[in-house]
């Protein structure tokens, strides 16, 4: 006999909620904390270790493993490892790890968490209903005022839009996407 499958309700496009954050130009990283408190580091494509590292990310993770496990808890915590010597560098003298999940960590990490040097969250530039105007405006703000992640840096990469309706991330960067403004 055939199985009954309900047709899911269709969300209203007018109630589409988005989060716009600054897209930081570094290298993708993830802090993995298992339920026993063991901590691993991974890049976009593989686990990394201090002996086979990705711009010092694994070394930072292992040096701060206990604090990261206590602060982040179990799970896969994705973010951008960025700063001196990585991509744009942002005129920094240190490296930072900025978590992507602004919904979970944004308000909690407005100030850097104690005991975890360099840990933060990508800057949240807008939260609200989908409107192309707000997306364009955030790009214009970055072009005019510079990075919100590294305040004196005037060549930001762009934005990331998280669409709660689709559960998908989208990016818009300067120098591509037909957007006028800064170019890389």
């Amino acid at each position: 006999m055939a199985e009954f499958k309900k047709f899911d309700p269709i969300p209203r496009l007018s109630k589409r909620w988005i989060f716009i954050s600054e897209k930081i130009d570094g290298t993708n990283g993830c802090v993995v904390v298992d339920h026993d408190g063991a901590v691993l580091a991974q890049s976009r494509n593989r686990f990394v270790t201090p002996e086979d590292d990705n711009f010092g990310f694994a070394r930072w993770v292992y040096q701060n493993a206990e604090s990261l496990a206590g602060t982040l808890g179990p799970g896969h915590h994705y973010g951008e490892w960025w700063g001196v010597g990585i991509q744009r560098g942002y005129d920094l003298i240190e490296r930072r790890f900025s978590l992507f999940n602004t919904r979970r960590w944004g308000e909690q990490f407005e100030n850097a968490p104690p005991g975890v040097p360099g840990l933060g969250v990508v800057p949240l530039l807008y939260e609200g209903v989908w409107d192309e105007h707000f997306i364009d405006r955030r790009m214009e703000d970055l072009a005019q005022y510079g990075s919100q992640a590294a305040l004196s840096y005037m060549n930001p990469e762009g934005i990331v839009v998280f669409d709660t309706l689709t559960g998908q991330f989208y990016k818009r960067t300067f120098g591509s996407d037909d957007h006028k403004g800064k170019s890389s």
Side-chain angles (χ1 to χ4, degrees):
M1 183 143 156
E3 175 187 352
F4 176 81
K5 288 192 177 187
K6 179 183 171 190
F7 185 80
D8 290 330
I10 300 172
R12 295 194 179 278
L13 192 56
S14 63
K15 294 185 180 183
R16 191 175 190 178
W17 201 259
I18 62 170
F19 295 82
I20 301 175
S21 58
E22 182 174 347
K23 184 173 186 326
I24 300 174
D25 192 12
T27 186
N28 186 273
C30 180
V31 176
V32 182
V33 181
D34 75 12
H35 290 287
D36 296 325
V39 178
L40 296 170
Q42 71 177 49
S43 68
R44 182 180 303 279
N45 302 314
R46 62 188 172 89
F47 284 109
V48 291
T49 66
E51 298 77 35
D52 184 20
D53 212 339
N54 186 25
F55 292 101
F57 179 64
R59 184 178 27 209
W60 176 81
V61 169
Y62 287 97
Q63 286 173 346
N64 294 287
E66 187 176 330
S67 296
L68 287 166
T71 300
L72 301 175
H76 286 69
H77 306 284
Y78 296 94
E80 196 76 2
W81 179 243
W82 60 288
V84 64
I86 306 172
Q87 304 296 1
R88 292 168 198 260
Y90 290 80
D91 296 333
L92 295 175
I93 59 171
E94 78 280 351
R95 292 183 178 157
R96 302 174 182 176
F97 185 63
S98 295
L99 296 161
F100 294 147
N101 191 343
T102 60
R103 291 173 72 185
R104 179 172 181 187
W105 302 112
E107 290 180 17
Q108 183 177 344
F109 284 6
E110 282 181 4
N111 298 313
V116 189
L119 180 63
V121 179
V122 294
L124 182 62
L125 307 176
Y126 172 79
E127 175 184 350
V129 295
W130 177 277
D131 187 323
E132 194 72 26
H133 167 76
F134 290 118
I135 294 170
D136 290 340
R137 185 67 202 148
R138 297 301 74 83
M139 289 294 285
E140 292 166 9
D141 288 347
L142 284 174
Q144 182 174 359
Y145 303 112
S147 172
Q148 296 300 298
L151 294 179
S152 62
Y153 189 72
M154 294 304 295
N155 189 22
E157 185 178 14
I159 61 170
V160 172
V161 178
F162 178 73
D163 182 352
T164 61
L165 183 67
T166 63
Q168 182 67 44
F169 291 95
Y170 302 92
K171 65 183 174 182
R172 182 177 286 176
T173 57
F174 294 111
S176 58
D177 299 320
D178 296 320
H179 193 279
K180 296 180 175 109
K182 300 253 184 244
S183 63
S184 317

